[in-house]
Amino acid sequence: MRKPLLIANWKMNQSKKELDSYVRSFSKPLASFVNITQDISIVFAVPFTMLESMQHCVEQFGLKVIAQNVHHKVSGAYTGEISALMLKELGIWGTIVGHSERRQYFGETDALVVEKANLCLTHNLVPVICIGESLQERQNGQTQTVIYNQMSALLDGVTDLTKIVIAYEPVWAIGTGLAATADQAQEVHAQIRSMLQQKGGSSLADNCSILYGGSMKASNTKELMSKPDIDGGLVGGASLIPEEFAQMVREIIN
Ligand code: PGA
């Protein structure tokens, strides 16, 4: 039904000249798996400047490449921005939208995230839409409300919910080494799936991939992935180490 999906989010890291060696180190431990992409989708969200080169490096393995951000207008006087059309021109699969670092440092709101997602959909790019509560919100017992509000904005505003990926990333777990427990993550994933069910029935809820993100690594992959509503991961720090990221793939398909 839902194939596992593992996305590396490199953020503002790595270098173009090391892509080849990264991909070699990543694919080597996976060489014994024939047709790996039948069992799992593996995606790299790399900086804009590396998109094309990374695509060249990974296409022979059937792996996909996405961007980490996109502007909410299709073209115009927006110095320094990248549009969905430009991304589409590269032939990439999609882009992350509304990562908590974008929301936190660049003031992205739910409304803007919906605009970006819709522009992606218009141009056949898959938006990987991030939601999640802050530490303070969790401590105040507001997790469910925060998720409800963020999801409601998506459910009301996104034009085609069948073509999105949702990533639940508790902000307190990102880059802290303190991942959510599998039970904590499952609780929120179940809430997300039930909201999808209410909006679009089983065909929407059963087919939407909901990823977990936040200090996910090889050692906690199996437990997180054992939960019924966790379909994969959005992985920051651990994806920078090719052997570690390959191990996460093994944990999922083994
Ligand atoms: P992390 O980042 O795995 O380093 O916590 C995840 C993310 O921000 O997508």
Side-chain angles (χ1 to χ4, degrees), residues 100 104 132-143 146 168-174 176 178 184:
S100 72
Q104 191 180 346
E133 80 287 1
S134 67
L135 179 61
Q136 201 181 7
E137 288 162 342
R138 176 156 285 260
Q139 285 171 341
N140 292 345
Q142 296 168 323
T143 301
V146 172
Y168 166 57
E169 297 207 303
V171 180
W172 48 270
I174 296 177
T176 58
L178 188 80
Q184 283 174 322

Side-chain angles (χ1 to χ4, degrees), residues 9 11 99-101 169 173-177 213-216 234-238:
N9 176 12
K11 311 192 179 185
H99 189 279
S100 72
E101 286 148 18
E169 297 207 303
I174 296 177
T176 58
S215 298
M216 191 170 173
L234 181 55
V235 186

Side-chain angles (χ1 to χ4, degrees), residues 60-78:
Q60 57 178 310
F61 302 105
L63 315 183
K64 298 188 180 98
V65 173
I66 62 173
Q68 300 172 6
N69 184 33
V70 65
H71 195 255
H72 59 286
K73 299 284 186 215
V74 76
S75 64
Y78 302 101

Side-chain angles (χ1 to χ4, degrees), residues 30 144 165 193 251:
L30 300 173
Q144 229 187 327
V165 171
R193 200 164 317 272
E251 296 287 342

Side-chain angles (χ1 to χ4, degrees), residues 47-117:
F48 288 128
T49 54
M50 298 177 207
L51 285 168
E52 267 191 297
S53 312
M54 191 59 175
Q55 253 193 313
H56 286 305
C57 290
V58 300
E59 63 192 0
Q60 57 178 310
F61 302 105
L63 315 183
K64 298 188 180 98
V65 173
I66 62 173
Q68 300 172 6
N69 184 33
V70 65
H71 195 255
H72 59 286
K73 299 284 186 215
V74 76
S75 64
Y78 302 101
T79 302
E81 294 296 327
I82 302 281
S83 91
L85 270 182
M86 296 166 187
L87 295 180
K88 193 61 208 168
E89 217 169 33
L90 296 177
I92 62 171
W93 187 61
T95 179
I96 296 175
V97 172
H99 189 279
S100 72
E101 286 148 18
R102 301 288 322 167
R103 294 178 188 254
Q104 191 180 346
Y105 304 131
F106 302 94
E108 295 194 4
T109 59
D110 285 335
L112 187 87
V113 169
V114 166
E115 266 193 79
K116 289 184 178 204

